[in-house]
Amino acid sequence: ESIQFDLQSRFVRDNPSSLPGTNAEAAIAREAFSSRQPSPSGSQPVTEASIELGLEFLARHQQPDGSWSLETFDVDHPLHGQQLISNTAATGLAVLAFQGAGYHHRDFRYATQLERALRWLVDHQAEDGNLYVESDARSNSSARLYSHAIAALALTEAWGMTQDPALRDPCERAVGFIVETQDPKRGGWRYFTEPARRGSDTSVTGWMLMALQSARLGGLEVPAECFEKIDDWMAVAHDPANESLYRYDPYAADDANYRRAQQRQATAPMTAVGLLMRIYRLGDRSGEEIANGSAWLMQTPPGQRDAMQRDTYYWYYATQVLKHAGGEEWPAWHAQLHPLLVNTQVKSGPLAGSWDPYTPVPDRWGPFGGRLYVTTMNLLSLEVDYRLLPLYQERE
């Protein structure tokens, strides 16, 4: 009796394939997403307050068309010139932050903001499923597949949390684009979609796997061969001397402009990505490789003394790995990261709820992603603190 008919067209596309808008069904989460609710029992008041302050910041800065922008903030800062432009990535990250806190577009406090954001993503989806909106040449060459993966993850999570039928086709086409652009030789993804220019690296592949895993947990079909190719990449991405450690690209070649030796060596950020991918694919939380890798990650604890220590991307992945591993490393990591995030969040003024990407030292990727990127990634790390997201449940 409480169900209200929505006779407004939702997620309208300006072409003949527009999805039907009438939907009288209440939001019903898939089983894997059923535990995600706002303010879960057992959550910490300080964490909740920080998350809500961050979400209020995002809500205030949503653009009139429903999207978010990476480059809106700190335009007078000297490092702003390095800023990438991708409303697709910005909108996907913002949606993930809201959904990570249990909110969705069918109910709860931020339903209007999320409805508008998802509509923007769907309205800008290409016929081949690509969610990236073309930008400047520099952003196109580096942010295209990152952006699609992030937005696809946001859409498939929204589907999993609500089973909104208006989202099914956009999700399936977004997954189809991921499958179609996979590197057939090495099994991952990198920067380009053209067959002759495809490649693989652990970073982009990690985001793609998250989107595929979310789709699978939401009941959408993902070809088994696609996962098998990802396994092929993981098999070569780990350090040959230590299977607990992972590299960005073991095939990275030097050229006249760049020496890429570090890309061929194990690093803490890529090890965090690789270990989480291992958990996704093998359901391995307590094996020797996870334990050894967790101990190795603790050699690079969260900090702010220099740019190599301040890395919200690394913190996001390592937080998930260590939380799931559940060893002695988790409380030690949490004791450093949690107060760091809560205490450095802006508490007042027009930027209240955000994190500064440049001070006290620049975040490792802050000059490229900006304030919105750093803020959404930190919110996702705080949300993992007390809520295991459905992506990180044991493999079915």
Side-chain angles (χ1 to χ4, degrees), residues 162-320:
T162 66
Q163 294 189 76
D164 184 343
L167 290 176
R168 184 173 191 119
D169 178 69
C171 287
E172 289 178 338
R173 290 190 295 113
V175 169
F177 181 79
I178 294 175
V179 173
E180 186 63 30
T181 57
Q182 189 173 25
D183 180 0
K185 295 181 179 179
R186 294 174 177 166
W189 292 261
R190 186 159 165 73
Y191 292 152
F192 302 106
T193 61
E194 300 89 343
R197 303 181 72 190
R198 290 180 192 171
S200 298
D201 70 53
T202 300
S203 183
V204 178
T205 302
W207 282 105
M208 290 295 192
L209 177 55
M210 284 194 285
L212 295 174
Q213 177 79 340
S214 176
R216 187 183 65 83
L217 288 173
L220 302 178
E221 182 177 352
V222 181
E225 181 183 3
C226 185
F227 286 119
E228 291 167 0
K229 290 179 182 177
I230 294 174
D231 294 342
D232 292 340
W233 174 253
M234 292 175 61
V236 297
H238 70 70
D239 188 325
N242 187 339
E243 292 190 7
S244 297
L245 311 183
Y246 286 83
R247 303 171 288 175
Y248 176 78
D249 180 6
Y251 301 105
D254 297 340
D255 58 32
N257 298 315
Y258 299 101
R259 292 185 60 81
R260 297 183 171 87
Q262 186 180 22
Q263 296 182 10
R264 301 189 294 269
Q265 299 170 355
T267 64
M270 290 304 99
T271 292
V273 177
L275 291 175
L276 191 60
M277 292 173 68
R278 185 182 181 90
I279 292 173
Y280 295 160
R281 294 296 301 130
L282 302 178
D284 178 13
R285 300 185 188 210
S286 56
E288 182 178 354
E289 288 79 7
I290 299 297
N292 292 340
S294 297
W296 197 77
L297 293 178
M298 285 305 301
Q299 297 178 29
T300 310
Q304 300 226 108
R305 292 193 300 274
D306 57 58
M308 290 302 292
Q309 282 196 314
R310 189 184 179 209
D311 186 347
T312 55
Y313 173 92
Y314 167 54
W315 298 347
Y316 166 67
Y317 276 101
T319 295
Q320 297 166 42

Side-chain angles (χ1 to χ4, degrees), residues 6 80 103 140 196 247 268-269 295 329 354 364 376 387 391:
D6 177 10
H80 189 267
Y103 296 103
N140 291 346
R247 303 171 288 175
E329 291 82 10
S354 70
R364 186 177 184 186
T376 53
R387 181 190 296 105
L391 281 175

